[in-house]
Amino acid sequence: MAFAASKRKRITLHRRPPQLLKITSLVDLMTILLCFLLQAYSYTEFRVLPSQDIHLPTSINTKYPVESIQLVVSKSAVLVEGKLVTRVVSVEGDQGEPVYDIEEVDKKNTLLIPKLKAELTRQANIIRNARETTGRSGDFSGTVTIQAHDQIPYRLLVKILFTTGQSEFGDIRFMAYRRD
Amino acid sequence: MAGRPSQRLRGKITPGEVNLLPVMNLIAILLPVLLMSVAFVKFTIIKIQLPEVTSAKEVTQEDVSPTPEPDPNKPSLTVIVRQDGFQFLSNINPPAELKEQVAAMHELIELSEEKDLEGKSVLVDGRPYKTYDYQALNERLIQFKELQWPLTDKPETMFVPFENVPNINIYPMPEIKYEVIIGVLDAARTYPQADKYLFPTPILVGRIYTGELGKAER
């Protein structure tokens, strides 16, 4: 008759074989997540400055933004490529609502904003010089993308458009949130 | 004599588990990279056209009108964005039988009352809340685009004045907000019936021509 198994052997005999971790469902989940993220992946060539002073309007247009000079018109300031150019003032309207406008305009031509024109002309020269230095072909396109607060009145916007047009930037695009 | 069954049939070789660990490693690296570059908010751009004169060289306000003088031979349409709605101006000259219909197309599109889910008017400070009716604007612009009548000298040929006109003038009053302008630009470009833009390049203008051509009115 065989000897009784030792205690250690008994434990070993009754121990379950090590189970492999089932990761198939985890891989399924990860694959779905990966597909979602790849679909939402976006490489953008432009910068959007998040600010409390600016809320873009929504549009059903589907064109993607392109690399260009960024002109921001917020409730409090006008910025070109992140640099403060001039201040936007707010006065109270007839019904108590804020009305935005620019104080510093040209005395002869009330549509022209001299500081904005100077900065845009400077930016145009920078781009032109950079193109000449790097030997990139093609003319200066003069593309500018305007990010404006949705409550800005046309009174102010037309000054921005006029000054932009006067500063060699004739290709103007408005930026908005895309509504699907 | 029958062949010897294979080792697989005799159950000696069991199909092994696929090793998913390399895949998991790859996904674990890709996930943070993609999470960093995911765009939860999408942006779009709307290309607009300015009157030629604003992109010219040094000009002063006194000697220029930001709106180019319309060519009387080319059909032109202007949408005036007012605080009480949309007004239309055009230089088309339809035949007598269409004059009434075309006159109706020039009528003001008033602000519409905002309705809730039950169809009741939304009240703000006890008064109905009114907004711009972009849908009605789009339908009216489609009417203009599809307007046609037979030519006087060739009755079998239809004249469609706005068929090949790519732009319309949009003239917002000074107090109109930027979000309304974007809504009007969208309405001017959307053409649901056809797979193309209605008026692809709307022109934002500062002054308009009314009545007699050549006379600018600020």
Side-chain angles (χ1 to χ4, degrees), chain A residues 34-92:
Chain A
L34 196 65
C35 290
F36 167 74
L37 289 174
L38 278 171
Q39 184 260 332
Y41 174 78
S42 161
Y43 172 71
T44 51
E45 295 172 331
F46 62 95
R47 295 173 301 284
V48 176
L49 301 171
S51 166
Q52 286 186 337
D53 285 352
I54 185 166
H55 181 268
L56 298 177
T58 54
S59 168
I60 53 170
N61 207 32
T62 52
K63 277 197 173 173
Y64 287 101
V66 291
E67 188 181 1
S68 62
I69 293 287
Q70 300 293 313
L71 200 164
V72 177
V73 187
S74 76
K75 284 192 282 189
S76 57
V78 176
L79 301 100
V80 175
E81 290 292 287
K83 183 186 168 190
L84 177 69
V85 174
T86 186
R87 293 270 174 203
V88 172
V89 290
S90 164
V91 291
E92 203 167 289

Side-chain angles (χ1 to χ4, degrees), chain B residues 10-184:
Chain B
R10 281 184 286 153
K12 281 190 178 175
I13 297 174
T14 51
E17 288 264 327
V18 180
N19 189 5
L20 291 170
L21 279 177
V23 181
M24 286 300 294
N25 288 341
L26 184 68
I27 291 176
I29 294 165
L30 272 176
L31 272 180
V33 173
L34 290 172
L35 271 172
M36 291 281 283
S37 54
V38 71
F40 294 105
V41 178
K42 289 179 181 169
F43 295 95
T44 184
I45 51 161
I46 304 145
K47 190 174 178 181
I48 58 145
Q49 205 171 332
L50 294 184
E52 288 295 320
V53 74
T54 52
S55 53
K57 286 194 174 175
E58 204 70 43
V59 284
T60 58
Q61 198 179 7
E62 284 71 33
D63 58 17
V64 74
S65 158
T67 310
E69 192 167 330
D71 183 350
N73 298 318
K74 285 184 182 173
S76 84
L77 177 63
T78 301
V79 179
I80 305 170
V81 188
R82 297 173 12 176
Q83 279 198 311
D84 58 345
F86 303 117
Q87 191 189 343
F88 300 86
L89 287 173
S90 77
N91 63 350
I92 52 171
N93 188 20
E97 63 269 20
L98 280 176
K99 282 213 185 289
E100 203 173 316
Q101 183 197 332
V102 173
M105 284 164 62
H106 285 76
E107 280 176 8
L108 179 81
I109 296 178
E110 292 182 353
L111 301 182
S112 64
E113 287 184 12
E114 195 78 6
K115 305 276 184 189
D116 62 10
L117 292 173
E118 294 170 356
K120 292 177 185 171
S121 294
V122 176
L123 300 176
V124 176
D125 297 333
R127 287 182 298 180
Y129 179 67
K130 292 184 174 180
T131 55
Y132 286 94
D133 195 344
Y134 301 111
Q135 180 75 30
L137 171 66
N138 180 245
E139 284 165 9
R140 183 71 64 84
L141 291 175
I142 290 171
Q143 279 181 17
F144 273 106
K145 189 78 176 180
E146 294 174 350
L147 181 70
Q148 55 182 333
W149 59 79
L151 286 171
T152 322
D153 47 347
K154 287 184 194 169
E156 69 279 2
T157 311
M158 295 302 278
F159 174 57
V160 190
F162 291 105
E163 188 180 22
N164 296 315
V165 175
N167 45 41
I168 55 166
N169 297 323
I170 294 174
Y171 175 56
M173 299 304 278
E175 62 276 5
I176 297 301
K177 288 171 182 164
Y178 176 58
E179 62 177 352
V180 177
I181 297 169
I182 294 291
V184 174

Side-chain angles (χ1 to χ4, degrees), chain A residues 140-163:
Chain A
F140 169 61
S141 62
T143 307
V144 62
T145 304
I146 297 178
Q147 302 172 31
H149 182 58
D150 56 6
Q151 300 300 307
I152 291 294
Y154 188 62
R155 181 188 294 107
L156 192 160
L157 196 65
V158 80
K159 290 174 187 170
I160 302 283
L161 294 175
F162 184 83
T163 309

